Amino acid sequence: MLVKTFGSAVYGIEAVTISIEINVTLGTNTFVVGLPDNAVKESILRVESAIKTNGFYMPRTKIIVNLAPADIRKSGSAFDLPIAIGILAATEQLINVSAISEFVIMGELGLDGSIQPIKGALPIAITCRREKFSGLILPQQNAREAAMVNQLQVYGVNHLNEVMQLLENPGQKTPVSVQTREEFLEAQQHADLDFAEVNGQENIKRALEITAAGGHNAILIGPPGSGKTMLAKRLPTILPPLTLNEALETTRIHSVAGRLPHNATLINKRPFRSPHHTISDMALVGGGSIPQPGEISLAHNGVLFLDELPEFKRTVLEVMRQPLEERKITISRARTALDFPASFMLLAAMNPCPCGFFNHPAKNCTCAPGIVQKYLNKISGPLLDRIDLHVEVTPVIFSELTGTQRPERSAEIRKRVIAARQLQETRFQALPGIYCNAQMNNRLLKDICQLTTPGHQLLKTAMEKLNLSARAYERILKVSRTIADLGNSPGILPEHIAEAIQYRSLDRENWAG
């Protein structure tokens, strides 16, 4: 008997519906066709054990399992459940065969029939709704994640027997319900970190406020213990809250990567990713035989923090140059090419030299001549030019550490950041894909960042004195526009240019002397 069930395969951040055809006929052996990988081929052993353990019988005749379309590579163990249901239906152990065509079924089977969680439940649910399936059956741990998609009945199951009962009597089990918008808005009110916990470093907080307001990239350079990491971890607390669409897009990426906690719904806070400096280039940008998202995609709509930047391998840093400009990464393989979104803010931190005390106000640098320049040369000029703000972090003095003055809270800074972002949204509302100053192209720079004569002369002098590149010139204009937005100024004034130039003073020619 021939039976067809439906599953789904995830490619990039999209899902493709897979027809799983089961034919039990005369003969011997079991064949799985349709470009399966080893995990899919091994599913027959897991399926057989689960079927027998739960009192059903496994046919000893010829079984052909076809995964269509046959020219798309199938991977992973999530096809166990639809294959098992197909075999049970084809051997007439499942009576209500007509119900199968209404559902997409996904799940990994244990040998006892228990159902294990899968990756990519959210994009699978979105595809189910788009293709007019009435329901989705998947592991209980993934049910709340998939139930964020409205107009789709999502059923979470823990065991093979539950699936059989559900298909025999589809009306007896209640679909999982999630109040997506209410839960999302409520969770956004809570923050674990706050800038009020950081004493002193007001100039660094100002630089991070500009970074957040314009969506700029920044690097913090200072000695050990000056608070670089502490400040960096609090940057997401002053960024504008995620919109529902941004949260959905971010959640899809984390779902595909298998990074969502069990029973999770929407990601409600901007991601903050901080990979170790031993990371490989593939782990950073994504890859694999079937490409998976890397750290830059997991940081989409959030912050990618690279601590001890010169310790990263140069090849790893160089692969970020194109995503920083394009805000997406294309992973090409022999059979496929997939795009992953990568619109993130890069925040980096580093010591000024190997010993960490170059330019320290109280301690002497012990590095040999030329070592400071060599250390900074680990970061290429083109990558450094793509970082908008270079901020020197100095140690906090004792009086600031023990002072009684209450530092400004993240919520207060965030209000100014949101106001500046709203100005930018209004400015770029007719330009799809551009929502902050950091994303302006050359044409927009000429139209939006027009300078007065004193401002033009000031910038010209700085370019000549500091030997800045053309890209650094663009960054200064963008940062100046953001500073003007924070001050609610319609035009860019000389003081805005002066403050922006201050954040380029750590270019290599000046930093190492």
Side-chain angles (χ1 to χ4, degrees):
M1 181 177 177
L2 176 64
V3 171
K4 181 186 291 188
T5 61
F6 295 94
S8 192
V10 177
Y11 296 93
I13 59 171
E14 302 292 338
V16 177
T17 299
I18 304 295
S19 299
I20 301 155
E21 299 171 321
I22 313 289
N23 191 15
V24 178
T25 184
L26 296 177
T28 58
N29 294 329
T30 300
F31 302 92
V32 182
V33 297
L35 279 183
D37 70 353
N38 286 335
V40 179
K41 292 177 182 177
E42 292 170 353
S43 66
I44 293 299
L45 298 175
R46 294 189 293 272
V47 167
E48 181 177 3
S49 176
I51 286 176
K52 289 182 175 179
T53 302
N54 289 280
F56 303 104
Y57 73 87
M58 185 74 177
R60 291 300 174 190
T61 55
K62 184 177 182 180
I63 303 174
I64 300 174
V65 179
N66 178 44
L67 307 174
D71 60 341
I72 296 178
R73 187 77 175 172
K74 321 302 186 306
S75 64
S77 55
F79 293 103
D80 293 0
L81 186 56
I83 290 175
I85 295 299
I87 291 174
L88 292 172
T91 53
E92 299 182 349
Q93 298 177 77
L94 174 65
I95 305 303
N96 190 10
V97 178
S98 60
I100 295 178
S101 61
E102 300 175 9
F103 295 94
V104 168
I105 306 172
M106 294 296 287
E108 175 187 339
L109 280 174
L111 299 185
D112 61 350
S114 60
I115 299 176
Q116 308 302 320
I118 62 172
K119 295 180 180 179
L122 180 56
I124 289 172
I126 292 172
T127 300
C128 286
R129 183 182 66 177
R130 184 172 63 242
E131 298 190 2
K132 308 299 183 184
F133 284 94
S134 62
L136 170 62
I137 301 173
L138 78 173
Q140 183 67 50
Q141 297 96 320
N142 301 112
R144 282 174 55 80
E145 174 190 341
M148 291 184 292
V149 179
N150 54 21
Q151 300 175 6
L152 178 71
Q153 293 181 326
V154 175
Y155 298 93
V157 291
N158 292 307
H159 200 275
L160 176 62
N161 288 331
E162 285 186 53
V163 184
M164 294 291 285
Q165 293 169 9
L166 172 60
L167 292 173
E168 293 288 11
N169 299 287
Q172 72 173 3
K173 189 174 177 65
T174 304
V176 177
S177 177
V178 175
Q179 301 298 322
T180 305
R181 188 177 296 274
E182 289 78 3
E183 291 186 13
F184 174 67
L185 294 176
E186 181 182 354
Q188 283 191 326
Q189 307 304 316
H190 307 289
D192 299 327
L193 302 173
D194 199 291
F195 268 116
E197 301 160 353
V198 183
N199 291 323
Q201 302 292 24
E202 298 304 322
N203 59 326
I204 314 303
K205 294 177 185 178
R206 166 66 177 175
L208 292 180
E209 180 181 341
I210 295 168
T211 298
H216 301 290
N217 304 319
I219 182 170
L220 307 178
I221 306 181
S226 56
K228 302 186 297 294
T229 303
M230 187 179 187
L231 288 159
K233 287 182 177 180
R234 284 156 178 77
L235 177 60
T237 66
I238 64 173
L239 290 171
L242 283 170
T243 65
L244 205 55
N245 286 336
E246 287 177 332
L248 184 63
E249 188 176 30
T250 304
T251 306
R252 287 174 68 180
I253 298 170
H254 285 250
S255 174
V256 168
R259 300 299 181 91
L260 288 180
H262 290 171
N263 298 315
T265 54
L266 278 179
I267 289 176
N268 48 67
K269 294 182 176 64
R270 292 193 179 273
F272 181 86
R273 305 294 301 180
S274 181
H276 193 261
H277 63 260
T278 56
I279 191 172
S280 67
D281 49 356
M282 187 176 293
L284 186 69
V285 301
S289 55
I290 296 181
Q292 291 290 300
E295 288 290 337
I296 64 172
S297 294
L298 293 172
H300 181 63
N301 291 324
V303 178
L304 177 68
F305 177 52
L306 302 183
D307 203 1
E308 303 298 341
L309 186 66
E311 303 302 326
F312 285 79
K313 290 184 291 186
R314 191 180 182 98
T315 54
V316 172
L317 297 179
E318 293 306 298
V319 296
M320 288 198 304
R321 285 162 54 178
Q322 184 260 345
L324 282 170
E325 295 288 340
E326 302 293 333
R327 299 191 178 271
K328 66 177 182 178
I329 180 69
T330 302
I331 308 295
S332 299
R333 295 294 180 263
R335 289 183 174 271
T336 186
L338 298 175
D339 288 336
F340 291 104
S343 180
F344 60 93
M345 289 173 56
L346 174 63
L347 181 60
M350 61 175 286
N351 293 333
C353 65
C355 79
F357 298 113
F358 182 76
N359 272 354
H360 194 283
K363 297 183 180 180
N364 294 325
C365 175
T366 60
C367 298
I371 294 297
V372 178
Q373 182 68 64
K374 183 178 179 181
Y375 186 70
L376 194 62
N377 280 344
K378 292 183 178 181
I379 309 169
S380 71
L383 178 62
L384 202 61
D385 279 343
R386 285 171 168 83
I387 299 176
D388 303 347
L389 288 88
H390 306 167
V391 186
E392 185 177 5
V393 184
T394 56
V396 183
I397 60 177
F398 182 78
S399 60
E400 291 180 340
L401 282 174
T402 57
T404 57
Q405 184 177 1
R406 175 181 169 272
E408 194 173 23
R409 293 177 55 83
S410 292
E412 297 165 2
I413 303 173
R414 182 189 245 190
K415 290 178 182 178
R416 297 194 295 269
V417 170
I418 292 174
R421 285 288 186 104
Q422 288 173 343
L423 289 175
Q424 294 165 48
E425 288 177 9
T426 302
R427 181 182 299 138
F428 303 126
Q429 61 183 352
L431 302 168
I434 298 179
Y435 57 87
C436 62
N437 290 333
Q439 296 176 328
M440 286 190 290
N441 54 34
N442 290 335
R443 181 178 60 81
L444 289 175
L445 278 176
K446 294 179 181 178
D447 295 339
I448 295 172
C449 299
Q450 297 182 1
L451 304 180
T452 61
T453 301
H456 183 273
Q457 186 59 44
L458 176 62
L459 183 53
K460 177 184 177 183
T461 303
M463 292 289 295
E464 294 172 350
K465 293 286 185 180
L466 300 176
N467 195 23
L468 300 177
S469 67
R471 185 173 278 112
Y473 167 78
E474 297 173 2
R475 306 297 176 188
I476 290 173
L477 288 180
K478 293 178 181 180
V479 172
S480 301
R481 181 63 263 175
T482 300
I483 296 170
D485 289 340
L486 282 169
N488 199 24
S489 172
I492 299 176
L493 304 178
E495 53 264 34
H496 302 146
I497 291 285
E499 186 176 359
I501 292 170
Q502 170 190 333
Y503 299 124
R504 297 303 304 189
S505 62
L506 299 182
D507 280 336
R508 291 183 300 170
E509 294 83 354
N510 303 288
W511 174 252

